[in-house]
Amino acid sequence: MFYFYILHSTQLDKFYIGHTTENLQERLRKHLSTHSGFTSKAKK
């Protein structure tokens, strides 16, 4: 299955639009882990 999703950072007041074929819970876990993308800036 193919998913589109939107994440919102209240701290940055910005949206991130993503897509995946992975399980959505697994993809969210990856966004919340340590990496250098949008969500790493948004969760500080």
Side-chain angles (χ1 to χ4, degrees):
M1 190 170 271
F2 199 78
Y3 299 98
F4 283 93
Y5 56 92
I6 301 170
L7 304 177
H8 178 255
S9 167
T10 53
Q11 182 177 0
L12 299 175
D13 194 28
K14 293 190 182 260
F15 291 92
Y16 173 86
I17 300 172
H19 58 88
T20 187
T21 57
E22 287 185 275
N23 176 292
L24 285 177
Q25 289 179 342
E26 175 63 15
R27 187 64 188 114
L28 181 59
R29 185 192 67 75
K30 288 181 181 179
H31 273 292
L32 296 174
S33 68
T34 56
H35 66 90
S36 60
F38 170 82
T39 50
S40 67
K41 295 176 192 125
K43 65 182 177 181
K44 288 183 180 179

